[in-house]
Amino acid sequence: ELCIDLFNGLELSDYQFLKYIPGYLGQLMMYQPDNEQSETIEALETMLYTGNSKSAAASLSTMAVLLENYDKLPETSKNAEKYKKRLLGMIIKAISHYNTALSQEALRVLGMRIFGSEVMTLGSKGWTASHCFKRLAAVIPLIGDDIGLEFYNNAAVLNYIYRFIATYVDEVGQFEFAEYDKVAFFPGSFDPFTLGHKAIATTIRDMGFEVYLALDELSWTKRMLPHALRRNILAMSISSEEGLNLFPGDIQVNLASSDDMRRLRELFAGKELYIVIGSDLVENAACYADAPSEHSIHSLGHIVFERESSDDSRKCCGETRYPITGEIIKLSLKKYSEDVSSTRIRNNIDLGR
């Protein structure tokens, strides 16, 4: 009941009282039963995006208090790491948010309250760094500057992060990041990025792949949202998920170019590289109709998923023959995820529905 009262206090408009609540609420939440703690964390995320700016800032501060103090729990707390990953993902997602004030506040909390914390041990900060630095590097350049303070805010935050990095490397050593033996390259226009795309990416991630999503610059066959807007939507959609990464926008990859395919192999040297693609594109795209060559796409492993628009009669006709010499992994999703179509969404938007 005390947690509920404190949580409701996060919606107070008077900052004179509001600023004291996260410190107490965060430490009390750690000792809640698992189901109640999970519900409270979910409520914090809801408040982050639906509350006013003061409530959102208080919600972020509460997340920081939780992350700072989780190591104080006994080792028997099995779900502590799961909650830490979830809270960290929520903060990274807030950094990539289109609301500039929210994204800058989230970045400030991550840098000053977590990496600049006097409560967390160096080992705990190292764990946090290994689980967020890769995503953080991708989303920081996307932060807007509506109020003209982006440079100063980022400089102050990065100062805390750089000082932590220097201290960690000097006293502990190099960071240990999760290593994947298999990489899935998932190109597409993502116009817009949908729950169907996310279901494909997370399913592949859960199969043991590190997934890189590459955004196409343009399409000659349909009208699309601006590239920067699509990239921001993509970043905000996947930033809470570990193992899903934005492919660098300054590296263009043409699937029909053998030189680009060779360069892609070199970028992921030492790892098994797979291309993620829809079954309709394998059958109709020009790059698969061309004759195979030394470095062409045909020799790479493929993860092939069925499109929502695929003909049901064709699905039931047995094994489909693809012009691919590499390994083929067929991906099946739940019916709901298969039926989510970005093309249908865009058509309805264009028609004003």
Side-chain angles (χ1 to χ4, degrees):
E1 291 181 1
L2 184 56
C3 277
I4 293 173
D5 288 339
L6 286 172
F7 183 85
N8 291 335
L10 293 178
E11 297 180 341
L12 291 172
S13 58
D14 192 344
Y15 186 72
Q16 181 179 352
F17 302 104
L18 181 61
K19 64 183 179 181
Y20 295 109
I21 296 176
Y24 294 102
L25 176 60
Q27 296 194 53
L28 281 173
M29 281 178 60
M30 296 190 302
Y31 299 98
Q32 287 182 307
D34 282 342
N35 59 333
E36 293 181 10
Q37 187 172 169
S38 181
E39 289 175 2
T40 310
I41 290 175
E42 186 173 340
L44 281 175
E45 183 174 22
T46 301
M47 181 179 289
L48 191 61
Y49 301 117
T50 60
N52 56 49
S53 58
K54 292 180 181 178
S55 296
S59 176
L60 286 167
S61 294
T62 306
M63 295 177 194
V65 171
L66 281 164
L67 284 169
E68 279 184 306
N69 292 280
Y70 260 126
D71 288 342
K72 295 180 180 179
L73 291 174
E75 295 182 2
T76 53
S77 302
K78 298 179 181 178
N79 292 320
E81 183 165 334
K82 179 184 76 172
Y83 291 139
K84 286 167 66 177
K85 288 182 178 179
R86 183 176 177 185
L87 289 164
L88 190 58
M90 288 160 59
I91 293 175
I92 298 294
K93 183 176 181 179
I95 294 173
S96 66
H97 200 268
Y98 61 85
N99 185 319
T100 302
L102 175 61
S103 66
Q104 291 186 347
E105 176 64 18
L107 184 61
R108 188 192 67 81
V109 165
L110 182 66
M112 298 181 181
R113 293 293 305 277
I114 296 176
F115 290 114
S117 172
E118 297 181 358
V119 176
M120 293 178 71
T121 64
L122 205 54
S124 296
K125 293 179 183 179
W127 179 93
T128 304
S130 66
H131 286 84
C132 80
F133 270 5
K134 201 167 189 177
R135 288 177 285 169
L136 189 60
V139 299
I140 284 181
L142 303 178
I143 297 176
D145 193 16
D146 297 342
I147 54 180
L149 297 175
E150 176 196 12
F151 173 80
Y152 302 102
N153 185 72
N154 289 0
V157 170
L158 292 175
N159 178 45
Y160 282 91
I161 296 176
Y162 289 158
R163 282 191 291 177
F164 155 70
I165 292 173
T167 303
Y168 188 90
V169 171
D170 180 57
E171 297 184 14
V172 179
Q174 297 299 316
F175 292 98
E176 294 183 3
F177 296 97
E179 290 290 338
Y180 295 83
D181 295 325
K182 297 183 289 186
V183 170
F185 181 75
F186 188 0
S189 59
F190 303 125
D191 181 41
F193 189 80
T194 67
L195 289 176
H197 293 131
K198 189 171 183 177
I200 293 168
T202 53
T203 300
I204 295 171
R205 186 270 314 276
D206 294 341
M207 292 163 57
F209 289 83
E210 184 175 22
V211 183
Y212 284 85
L213 295 103
L215 193 65
D216 294 342
E217 281 283 351
L218 51 86
S219 171
W220 297 107
T221 59
K222 59 182 179 180
R223 183 175 62 180
M224 298 195 301
L225 290 169
H227 179 268
L229 179 56
R230 287 184 288 125
R231 189 170 181 83
N232 286 348
I233 294 173
L234 174 57
M236 189 169 63
S237 301
I238 68 171
S239 55
S240 62
E241 298 287 345
E242 196 169 2
L244 305 187
N245 305 289
L246 274 174
F247 190 74
D250 57 348
I251 303 177
Q252 295 301 313
V253 177
N254 180 358
L255 298 182
S257 168
S258 295
D259 290 337
D260 284 2
M261 291 297 97
R262 175 180 54 78
R263 186 167 66 251
L264 191 63
R265 286 180 169 94
E266 292 172 352
L267 289 172
F268 298 110
K271 300 180 184 293
E272 297 181 53
L273 178 60
Y274 288 74
I275 302 295
V276 182
I277 200 162
S279 57
D280 58 330
L281 289 178
V282 177
E283 296 168 9
N284 301 315
C287 59
Y288 293 99
D290 296 338
S293 60
E294 182 180 359
H295 297 292
S296 67
I297 193 172
H298 306 79
S299 59
L300 286 172
H302 280 66
I303 301 174
V304 181
F305 59 90
E306 291 288 346
R307 291 282 196 181
E308 173 271 336
S309 57
S310 298
D311 184 1
D312 290 335
S313 62
R314 182 180 58 77
K315 292 181 183 179
C316 301
C317 292
E319 197 71 18
T320 304
R321 302 284 296 181
Y322 295 123
I324 299 169
T325 58
E327 181 186 4
I328 299 176
I329 299 174
K330 293 188 176 180
L331 188 66
S332 58
L333 301 171
K334 294 180 181 179
K335 181 63 177 174
Y336 169 78
S337 298
E338 283 189 1
D339 286 345
V340 180
S341 167
S342 59
T343 301
R344 182 179 297 172
I345 291 172
R346 284 291 300 144
N347 289 340
N348 286 332
I349 291 174
D350 291 341
L351 293 171
R353 294 177 181 172

